């Protein structure tokens, strides 16, 4: 690319393992210094490194990819993989470790420097920092705690790390240098004299830029480094003395300390866009034979809720006078025969969504109460901003990985209770209701939260060495649990736990009933609680007499059912490989880049195939593999895919019998221009 007024996107790539204490600072630094994207290749971390990195994804473009390889060439092969993933999207890619911080001379900007460089690769020399006398791990920023380094003539400082044009390389020679078609220069464009690949012939000058390499940090950090180990080398505790060099005081990174802290600070509420005015709130309480608890809860809601709200209590066939006591208080009650927690929660959801027409719905068990005046405000904000949010149960505090448990900075937790949760009407339009196949007790709320996650709401999904991990948004929300005795059993909990695993691959939308008989019983309960509302409810266009009717309404586009459900493949060309072939394929070009949430494959029964996506039609990433799968096969995450091309490849030499390939999502760059 010739120099000019614009430089394309730049990415920083790092291989990472067990860096949860410092990964946030390192990530914030990269975006502060001018990178557009960070790609982390997670090398079997056993801590929360990947999860913590992903918490910043709402602010920055951070991508986490699992890289479990531990062979001696693990780093160069990781860099090759990163180039294949990003070369079509980025003009420049830097390859740094998470203990390396690029520091530019005062007044210089990274994109301005890169814009001036027509060459193929830039070498940044190491400036190796020591412990600054720290034996234990100090609190605070790395750039503040370690201010002493080795002199430029310390031999390891001749090593460099690289920023390259990915389109000009055939791959890494080693973790420090790359084979390129063009010139290798320093950040100011000066040619370099090499001793060998990645090592300068003479000590660096540090004009323009240097790479602060916090190699040892404290002695305690060094011992952790040894424990993690290196796949390609062995280090000893005695090596600490060799590398703990502190001759030169260097605080050149300190000028970034204040903006770095600002980047790391939780976002303030004032920085978030304002909520729409007059959001309509609905609160539903579910109960069964716990009259004293639910009466106390209803009274506390009345006393501590600051804004307007609609309250309904869902009574699952109590025999202790619960309904009578609540109606005596003037509380609306929906009651019926005992059908289990999922059905009972659906009573509240349906009433508040369809009858009361609420924008935000809070579901409460009867053994959690508000303790803070205006408690509902955090729930309204969190549900509206994120679609769905759960309560931060104190018993699950060990599952928390981040966050202040507020709407502005929600926590992220891998385990969620069913005590309290909230969602917006838009989220419910995507996922529907609790699945009534969850019978008496347990996991119905988990299923709903997982389905919300599949639509991009209520949390994030991160890739870790052990597989995909779901992290859910949680808040405190001014609520506190009270002692109670459950009527559920461990056997019911275990049965529903097995069901949760079985339903994970089904479509995300569930209705409040499973057949026509359940529908009539359910709507009759609603009608009794809201006289006069039965007719408009039964005639709503998005209600169906059964799950099968719903699926029929969501079927592929036809003259009777036009494509209005996010089918971005409708009308797009479908091509196939020459037949016969060793691995025949069908492929669809979406005509631009898209965020893909579901792919439906209508193939002959018993077909074995792989499903791949690509941004350029050349480099492919497999996202699913099906063997003897009954049609249709549906891919729905976890998470979403970003691609232009979708391909189904038969596993074996045969003819691929494919009737239809459908892709659902949203076009982000129609026409393919980024």
């Amino acid at each position: 690319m010739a120099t000019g007024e614009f430089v394309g996107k730049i990415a920083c790539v790092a291989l990472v393992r067990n860096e949860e204490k410092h990964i946030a600072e390192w990530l914030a630094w990269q975006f502060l210094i001018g990178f557009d994207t960070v790609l982390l290749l997670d090398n079997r971390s056993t801590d929360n490194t990947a999860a913590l990195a992903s918490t910043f994804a709402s602010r920055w473009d951070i991508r986490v990819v699992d890289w479990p390889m531990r062979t001696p060439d693990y780093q160069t092969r990781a860099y090759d993989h990163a180039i294949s993933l990003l070369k079509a999207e980025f003009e420049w890619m830097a390859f740094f470790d998470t203990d390396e911080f690029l520091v530019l001379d005062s007044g210089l900007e990274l994109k301005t420097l890169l814009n001036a460089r027509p060459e193929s690769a830039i070498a940044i020399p190491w400036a190796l920092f020591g412990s600054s006398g720290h034996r234990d791990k100090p609190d605070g920023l790395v750039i503040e705690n370690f201010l002493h380094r080795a002199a430029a003539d310390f031999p390891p400082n001749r090593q460099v790390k690289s920023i390259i044009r990915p389109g000009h390389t055939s791959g890494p020679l080693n973790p420090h240098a790359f084979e390129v078609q063009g010139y290798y220069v320093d950040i100011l464009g000066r040619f370099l004299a090499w001793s060998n690949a990645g090592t300068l012939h003479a000590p660096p000058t540090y004009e323009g830029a240097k790479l602060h390499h916090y190699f040892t940090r404290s002695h305690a950090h060094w011992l952790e480094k040894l424990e993690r180990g290196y796949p390609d080398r062995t280090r000893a505790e005695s090596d600490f003395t060799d590398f703990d060099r502190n001759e030169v005081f260097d605080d050149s990174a300190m000028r970034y300390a204040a903006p770095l802290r600002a980047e790391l600070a939780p976002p303030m509420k004032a920085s978030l866009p304002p909520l729409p005015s007059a959001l309509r709130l609905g609160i539903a309480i579910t109960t069964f034979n716990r009259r004293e608890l639910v009466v106390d809860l209803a009274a506390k809601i009345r006393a501590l809720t600051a804004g307007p709200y609609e309250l309904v209590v869902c009574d699952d066939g109590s025999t202790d006078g619960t309904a009578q006591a609540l109606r005596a208080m003037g509380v609306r009650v929906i009651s019926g025969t005992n059908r289990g927690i999922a059905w009972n929660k659906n009573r509240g959801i349906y009433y508040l969504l369809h009858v009361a027409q609420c924008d935000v719905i809070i579901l409460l068990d009867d053994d959690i109460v508000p303790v803070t005046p205006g408690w509902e405000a955090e729930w309204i904000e969190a549900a509206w901003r994120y679609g769905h949010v759960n309560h931060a149960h104190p018993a699950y505090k060990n599952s928390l990985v981040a966050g202040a448990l507020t709407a502005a900075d929600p926590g992220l937790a891998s385990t969620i209770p069913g005590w309290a949760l909230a969602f917006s009407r838009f989220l419910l339009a995507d996922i529907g209701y609790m699945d009534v196949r969850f019978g008496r007790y347990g996991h119905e709320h988990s299923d709903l939260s997982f389905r919300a996650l599949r639509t991009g709401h209520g949390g994030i999904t991160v890739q870790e060495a052990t597989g995909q991990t779901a992290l859910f948004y949680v808040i405190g929300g001014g609520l506190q649990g009270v002692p109670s005795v459950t009527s559920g059993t461990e056997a019911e909990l275990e049965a529903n736990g097995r069901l949760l695993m079985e339903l994970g691959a089904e479509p995300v939308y569930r209705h409040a009933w499973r057949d026509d008989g359940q529908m009539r019983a359910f709507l009759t309960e609603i009608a009794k609680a809201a006289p006069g509302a039965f007719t408009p409810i039964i005639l709503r266009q998005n209600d169906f007499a059964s799950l099968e009717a719903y699926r029929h309404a969501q079927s592929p586009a036809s003259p009777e059912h036009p494509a209005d459900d996010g089918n971005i493949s409708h009308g797009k060309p479908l091509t196939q490989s020459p037949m016969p072939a060793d691995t025949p394929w069908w492929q669809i070009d979406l005509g631009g880049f898209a965020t893909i949430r579901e792919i439906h494959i209508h193939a002959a029964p018993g077909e074995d195939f792989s499903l791949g996506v690509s941004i350029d039609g050349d480099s492919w990433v497999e996202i699913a593999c099906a063997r003897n799968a009954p049609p249709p096969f549906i891919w729905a995450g976890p998470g979403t895919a970003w691609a232009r091309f979708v391909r189904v490849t038969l596993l074996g030499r045969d003819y691929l019998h494919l009737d239809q390939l459908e892709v659902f999502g949203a076009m982000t760059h129609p026409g393919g221009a980024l």
Side-chain angles (χ1 to χ4, degrees):
M1 170 182 161
T3 60
E5 297 181 355
F6 175 75
V7 65
K9 293 171 65 178
I10 55 177
C12 185
V13 176
L15 199 64
V16 63
R17 177 176 168 85
N18 290 351
E19 282 284 353
E20 66 178 357
K21 181 174 176 59
H22 299 297
I23 191 64
E25 178 184 354
W26 186 86
L27 287 169
W29 180 275
Q30 308 314 314
F31 293 98
L32 187 64
I33 209 73
F35 287 100
D36 298 298
T37 298
V38 170
L39 174 66
L40 292 179
L41 297 135
D42 184 34
N43 191 223
R44 299 189 186 182
S45 291
T46 56
D47 62 3
N48 291 314
T49 296
L52 285 169
S54 296
T55 64
F56 292 97
S58 62
R59 279 190 267 172
W60 304 316
D61 184 10
I62 297 171
R63 309 176 191 183
V64 181
V65 174
D66 188 32
W67 189 257
M69 184 177 294
R70 297 291 285 173
T71 56
D73 61 347
Y74 77 116
Q75 193 164 11
T76 54
R77 292 184 67 177
Y79 288 175
D80 264 331
H81 183 61
I83 292 169
S84 70
L85 290 176
L86 302 184
K87 66 180 180 181
E89 186 179 353
F90 294 90
E91 183 179 350
W92 291 94
M93 294 174 62
F95 295 83
F96 300 154
D97 291 339
T98 53
D99 58 359
E100 298 171 343
F101 290 64
L102 175 63
V103 178
L104 305 174
D105 285 355
S106 182
L108 299 182
E109 294 182 351
L110 181 59
K111 284 197 170 181
T112 301
L113 291 167
L114 294 179
N115 191 54
R117 300 270 53 82
E119 295 86 8
S120 297
I122 296 167
I124 310 293
W126 269 354
L128 194 141
F129 280 67
S131 69
S132 291
H134 292 292
R135 298 290 296 177
D136 298 323
K137 296 178 183 177
D139 294 330
L141 299 175
V142 168
I143 64 168
E144 291 178 320
N145 289 320
F146 304 102
L147 301 175
H148 297 81
R149 63 170 173 83
D153 60 2
F154 182 50
N157 284 337
R158 297 189 184 191
Q159 295 191 63
V160 304
K161 284 298 186 70
S162 297
I163 306 175
I164 67 164
R165 293 183 184 275
H168 292 195
T169 183
S170 55
L173 298 167
N174 55 46
H176 299 265
F178 291 72
E179 181 74 34
V180 295
Q181 294 80 52
Y183 292 113
Y184 235 114
V185 296
D186 71 4
I187 196 71
L188 299 180
R190 295 170 298 197
F191 290 101
L192 304 167
W194 300 99
S195 173
N196 51 57
T199 304
L200 300 173
H201 180 71
T205 63
Y206 294 150
E207 292 181 56
K210 61 184 184 297
L211 196 64
H212 286 203
H213 189 190
Y214 299 100
F215 183 55
T216 63
R217 291 181 285 201
S218 69
H219 186 257
H221 281 104
W222 182 260
L223 296 180
E224 279 191 355
K225 188 189 290 275
L226 297 182
E227 185 178 350
R228 287 197 300 269
Y230 294 87
D232 57 346
R233 71 191 68 184
T234 300
R235 293 201 182 277
E237 184 175 353
S238 58
D239 291 339
F240 179 80
T241 303
D242 297 333
F243 291 101
D244 185 21
R245 303 294 293 268
N246 301 279
E247 302 94 298
V248 178
F249 177 77
D250 186 342
D251 65 350
S252 57
M254 282 291 290
R255 70 179 186 271
Y256 295 99
L260 185 60
R261 287 189 181 280
E263 290 287 346
L264 289 169
M268 300 299 291
K269 286 186 180 180
S271 67
L272 295 171
L275 294 177
S277 60
L279 286 176
R280 188 173 178 85
L281 172 65
I283 303 171
I285 305 169
T286 54
T287 190
F288 174 65
N289 279 345
R290 297 204 290 204
R291 182 181 61 190
E292 289 77 12
L293 287 179
V294 72
V295 166
D296 180 63
L297 172 54
K300 285 184 167 60
I301 288 174
R302 284 180 168 176
L304 296 174
T305 306
Y309 63 95
E310 177 87 13
L311 175 64
V312 62
V313 174
C314 308
D315 176 27
D316 199 23
S318 294
T319 58
D320 64 349
T322 291
Q324 294 89 330
L326 290 165
R327 289 183 178 121
M329 298 172 61
V331 175
R332 187 182 299 276
V333 179
I334 305 175
S335 59
T337 57
N338 184 271
R339 291 180 176 267
I341 295 176
W343 182 286
N344 201 29
K345 289 182 175 179
N346 283 342
R347 290 169 173 140
I349 296 172
Y350 199 99
Y351 175 84
L352 293 173
L353 183 64
H354 292 317
V355 179
Q357 298 287 301
C358 294
D359 300 299
V360 170
I361 295 173
I362 302 173
L363 272 184
L364 300 176
D365 285 357
D366 56 14
D367 53 355
I368 188 168
V369 298
V371 293
T372 305
W375 66 279
E376 80 281 5
E378 287 283 301
W379 288 95
I380 294 171
E381 181 173 352
W384 193 255
R385 293 199 186 285
Y386 312 118
H388 175 49
V389 66
N390 280 275
H391 181 247
H393 197 302
Y396 301 151
K397 62 182 180 181
N398 290 336
S399 78
L400 287 170
V401 299
L405 306 184
T406 65
D409 184 22
L412 282 167
S414 57
T415 306
I416 48 175
W419 265 6
L421 59 159
F423 21 73
S424 72
R425 58 184 170 88
F426 296 112
L427 183 278
L428 293 172
D430 284 342
I431 70 172
Y433 300 80
M434 301 282 178
D435 194 317
V436 294
R437 284 174 288 184
F438 289 92
R440 290 268 309 125
Y441 173 65
H443 292 299
E444 75 293 328
H445 67 282
S446 302
D447 174 72
L448 182 138
S449 292
F450 275 114
R451 287 187 281 126
L453 201 58
R454 287 168 61 187
T455 67
H457 299 89
I460 61 174
T461 303
V462 299
Q463 180 68 49
E464 298 184 307
T466 55
Q468 294 276 359
T469 297
L471 295 174
F472 302 98
Y473 292 136
V474 294
I475 63 173
L479 296 176
Q480 179 177 296
V482 297
S484 63
V485 177
T486 181
S487 62
T489 67
E490 286 299 320
E492 291 167 346
L493 189 63
E494 290 178 7
N496 278 357
R498 292 190 295 271
L499 181 62
L500 178 66
M501 298 298 101
E502 294 169 5
L503 299 183
E506 289 198 2
V508 295
Y509 193 93
R510 313 286 161 80
H511 217 295
W513 47 75
R514 296 286 298 170
D515 55 45
D516 290 353
Q518 288 186 356
M519 179 199 72
R520 287 190 291 269
F522 186 90
L523 292 179
T524 298
E525 293 175 351
I526 303 297
K528 287 180 179 179
F534 186 77
T535 300
I537 293 172
I538 200 74
L539 294 177
R540 289 183 64 85
Q541 293 300 307
N542 61 342
D543 285 338
F544 301 93
S546 65
L547 182 64
E548 289 67 32
Y550 170 76
R551 285 177 172 166
H552 181 66
Q554 300 298 308
S555 61
S558 67
E560 294 78 23
H561 300 287
D564 60 355
D565 54 355
N567 188 335
I568 55 177
S569 57
H570 185 63
K572 300 297 193 302
L574 186 65
T575 58
Q576 67 181 104
S577 60
M579 304 291 275
D582 289 335
T583 53
W585 50 260
W586 286 85
Q587 175 178 306
I588 193 165
D589 180 359
L590 298 173
F593 297 100
T595 297
I596 300 170
R597 57 179 173 82
E598 286 192 15
I599 300 172
H600 295 195
I601 300 170
H602 301 265
E607 297 273 26
D608 296 343
F609 55 84
S610 70
L611 176 63
V613 294
S614 172
I615 60 174
D616 57 7
D618 294 321
S619 299
W620 293 85
V621 176
E622 183 182 81
I623 60 174
C625 182
R627 295 189 179 275
N628 198 29
F633 175 85
I634 297 176
W635 176 87
T640 57
W642 189 75
R644 172 171 177 166
F645 300 91
V646 177
R647 177 181 288 185
V648 180
T649 304
L650 186 67
L651 302 178
R653 183 179 177 86
D654 200 346
Y655 286 88
L656 177 61
H657 303 283
L658 184 68
D659 296 325
Q660 194 170 23
L661 175 61
E662 297 176 288
V663 184
F664 297 83
M667 299 300 299
T668 59
H669 296 80
L674 291 172

